[in-house]
Amino acid sequence: MLVLLPPSEGKASSGRGAPLKPESLSLPGLAAAREAVLAELADLCAGDEEKARGVLGLSEGLRGEVAKNAGLRTAGARPAGEIYTGVLYDALDLASLDAAAKRRAARSLLVFSGLWGAVRVTDRIPSYRCSMGVKLPGLGALGTHWRGPMAEVLPEAAGTGLVLDLRSAAYAAAWKPKGEVAGRTATVRVLHAPTRKVVSHFNKATKGRMVRSLLAAGIAPAGPAELVEALRELGYEVEAEAPARAGQPWALDVLVTEVH
């Protein structure tokens, strides 16, 4: 099972660990594309602060993020699972999983990123600010920048099992599973059961709890149909329908009554 996650806008501080070692990151096929983004982002943020803030879409209150990006090569690095915070990651709560579930998380979870492309939760990275929606002056739109490298690397990373795609739209645009991989991919919406409306903030929390449930139970469904069955056994209310044509992902709706 491969679980595709969005990053979080908010991130923990880098701390005092050893600095980034780009060559140690997972998915080495993304190395050249990572270096291109890292180089331009660091140079941009080491120069005109106002220009950098405009490119990154940062408010006055987030001015300090520019300096953070300028120091990416020398800042301390921590496992990505500790760097990413926010609603989904709070609900996932990797730190409190038992040892076996943490090993499953290390194998299964892949976090998409405007800067790194995609990283495992065990990859050591510094705290940064660069969303997939950013358009750098040199490289252009990051979603477009990543599309080619991702198409080369991600099908192999997907292996032969389920791909559970929990990314937001901006990050999903960087890689769309195709063909046989798409056929064993499941996307998830979280709906408020009484109204059938998509929930926003609680969408992230539910997805985080859902992934945690699968990891804690040691369940790795072979495909979308098995995922539906597993989630129902774990107590989730799930509606799903197989795609009309081969080579299309399954769409799952997880229904929640209490929006929390």
Side-chain angles (χ1 to χ4, degrees):
M1 177 175 69
L2 183 68
V3 182
L4 311 181
L5 297 175
S8 57
E9 285 295 324
K11 298 174 183 68
S13 65
S14 293
R16 297 173 180 265
L20 171 73
K21 294 181 179 179
E23 69 278 6
S24 72
L25 297 178
S26 302
L27 306 178
L30 299 178
R34 286 173 177 146
E35 177 56 34
V37 180
L38 177 60
E40 184 171 356
L41 180 64
D43 287 349
L44 171 71
C45 291
D48 186 328
E49 184 180 271
E50 290 305 313
K51 178 182 178 181
R53 202 156 63 84
V55 168
L56 297 174
L58 300 177
S59 66
E60 175 67 30
L62 294 173
R63 182 179 292 273
E65 300 293 285
V66 175
K68 179 193 291 185
N69 284 345
L72 282 170
R73 294 191 189 274
T74 57
R78 295 167 58 186
E82 298 177 13
I83 289 290
Y84 294 114
T85 59
V87 176
L88 187 153
Y89 292 91
D90 286 347
L92 178 54
D93 195 9
L94 288 169
S96 69
L97 290 171
D98 64 30
K102 285 178 179 176
R103 289 192 294 271
R104 288 189 283 271
R107 292 193 303 267
S108 302
L109 306 187
L110 198 62
V111 185
F112 276 61
S113 162
L115 173 53
W116 314 115
V119 292
R120 303 283 185 184
V121 292
T122 50
D123 284 333
R124 298 180 64 85
I125 59 172
S127 185
Y128 68 96
R129 189 76 175 220
C130 184
S131 73
M132 191 65 81
V134 164
K135 185 177 182 180
L136 292 174
L139 290 177
L142 290 180
T144 302
H145 170 75
W146 284 113
R147 211 163 288 156
M150 291 286 193
E152 293 289 329
V153 172
L154 267 292
E156 181 178 353
T160 59
L162 169 72
V163 178
L164 176 53
D165 190 353
L166 303 179
R167 298 171 296 167
S168 54
Y171 292 90
W175 180 60
K176 294 183 178 181
K178 297 182 183 298
E180 183 269 336
V181 179
R184 50 187 166 87
T185 296
T187 62
V188 174
R189 293 190 308 174
V190 179
L191 304 181
H192 186 218
T195 63
R196 283 302 197 275
K197 291 183 178 179
V198 176
V199 296
S200 53
H201 173 89
F202 307 103
N203 165 61
K204 297 177 182 179
T206 300
K207 288 178 178 178
R209 286 193 290 268
M210 185 175 68
V211 174
R212 180 183 176 85
S213 296
L214 292 168
L215 293 172
I219 299 173
E226 292 83 0
L227 172 65
V228 173
E229 182 179 345
L231 290 174
R232 287 171 177 165
E233 289 179 357
L234 288 168
Y236 292 89
E237 185 178 354
V238 182
E239 294 180 349
E241 187 173 334
R245 296 192 302 274
Q248 292 184 324
W250 287 52
L252 276 57
D253 288 337
V254 176
L255 306 181
V256 295
T257 302
E258 295 183 7
V259 182
H260 60 85

